[in-house]
């Protein structure tokens, strides 16, 4: 499957549902008027783009439709796709400029952290990078086993400790090993945690401190993994994790399983954190580098 076919297939449910709503809006289209704008706004909100973001986008569309004298359905939709894409934080790609660099994956339980690490690791090793996984989800033994399988699949090394070990100690050892072995990137898996559980968030802060202490000059990407099927709760997850670890990017997973893909637009534009990847399936190559305009066109 080509890249664009994958985006299209991954967004199939969102597209079908949103496109049906938008087609209904345009069923009696003659000109861009207040009724049309208001119905479009409703369609955006139904796709989980969020009320504020939708209202801003429609306001901008009102202006642009006059300036550009938009006459056709296609022109209106294309203009709206561009407006929404521009509202999102621009994707600057993974910033991994030091050797080693670090990627810290965080998020609530079951969102796809470990799977996304496997997929990102495979992308990096395919680029010729030496990658090491740190199994800092020590909460359950199966977590490190799962990451070990992904390490084999991705051609990455792994550092793991026994179940129940201090996750910060795993990260410390992984960084030490990465320095000794000349690795390019350390990717740290962490246990799923709720953003409002203070003790677990403190543990995460400690991991972040160890990285800063051991690699003060290093590029560090802190990526929040969000499950697209969870809807509006993604916003409070993003705010909670951002206040503790400072997010540099988002990975939106399970887009293949939801009609609410607009949540990616909502979180990225309201928090001004870029979406770096989207997950559209369970296989190793089901992770796509994010392109805002392809995405908003796919949604609409
Ligand atoms: N359909 C689909 N499934 C996904 C995607 N990403 C992850 N999954 C599935 O989601 C489930 C949970 O994935 P994990 O990677 O274990 O999630 P996690 O965040 O590491 O979970 P915890 O460590 O328990 O917090 C697995 O069955 C994955 O195969 C995706 O993009 N699409
Ligand atoms: Mg996991």
């Amino acid at each position: 499957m080509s890249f664009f076919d994958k985006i299209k297939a991954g967004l199939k449910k969102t597209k079908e549902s949103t496109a049906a709503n938008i087609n209904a809006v345009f069923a009696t289209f003659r000109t861009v008027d207040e009724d049309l704008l208001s119905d479009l706004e409703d369609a955006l909100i139904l796709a989980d783009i969020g009320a504020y973001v939708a209202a801003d986008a429609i306001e901008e569309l009102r202006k642009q439709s006059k300036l550009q004298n938009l006459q056709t359905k296609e022109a209106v939709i294309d203009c709206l796709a561009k407006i929404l894409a521009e509202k999102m934080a621009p994707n600057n790609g993974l910033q991994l400029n030091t050797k080693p660099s670090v990627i810290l994956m965080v998020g609530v339980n079951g969102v796809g952290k470990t799977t996304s690490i496997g997929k990102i690791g495979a992308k990096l090793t395919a680029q010729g990078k030496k990658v090491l996984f740190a199994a800092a989800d020590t909460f359950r033994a199966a977590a490190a086993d799962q990451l070990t399988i992904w390490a084999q699949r991705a051609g990455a090394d792994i550092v793991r400790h026994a179940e129940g070990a201090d996750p910060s100690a795993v990260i410390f050892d992984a960084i030490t090993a990465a320095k000794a072995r000349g690795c390019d990137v350390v990717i740290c898996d962490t246990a799923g945690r709720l953003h409002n559980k203070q003790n677990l968030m403190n543990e995460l802060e400690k991991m972040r401190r160890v990285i800063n202490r051991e690699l003060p000059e290093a590029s560090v990407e802190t990526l929040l993994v969000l499950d697209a099927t969870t809807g509006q709760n993604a916003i409070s997850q993003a705010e909670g994790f951002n206040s503790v670890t400072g997010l540099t990017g988002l990975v939106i997973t399970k887009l293949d399983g939801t009609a609410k893909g607009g949540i990616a637009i909502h979180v990225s534009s309201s928090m001004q954190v870029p979406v770096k990847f989207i997950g559209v399936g369970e296989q190793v190559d089901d992770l796509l580098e994010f392109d805002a305009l392809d995405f908003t066109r796919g949604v609409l």
Side-chain angles (χ1 to χ4, degrees), residues 88 250 252 255 260-269 275 290 295:
M88 300 178 80
L250 305 169
I252 314 279
L255 274 166
K260 302 278 190 176
I263 192 67
I265 301 170
H266 187 183
V267 183
S268 178
S269 56
V275 177
F290 186 74
F295 185 83

Side-chain angles (χ1 to χ4, degrees), residues 108-115 119 137 140 146 192 253-254 256 279-282:
V108 305
N109 304 77
V111 288
K113 293 177 293 300
T114 306
T115 306
K119 295 169 175 175
D137 178 357
R140 49 193 181 88
Q146 185 193 3
T253 59
K254 309 190 197 182
D256 50 310
V280 294
E282 298 187 277

Side-chain angles (χ1 to χ4, degrees), residues 94-102 129 184 217-221:
L94 286 177
Q95 298 295 309
L96 305 171
N97 305 316
T98 57
K99 186 171 175 165
S101 309
V102 180
K129 295 204 157 130
D184 298 294
E217 309 290 331
S219 305
V220 180
E221 288 275 3

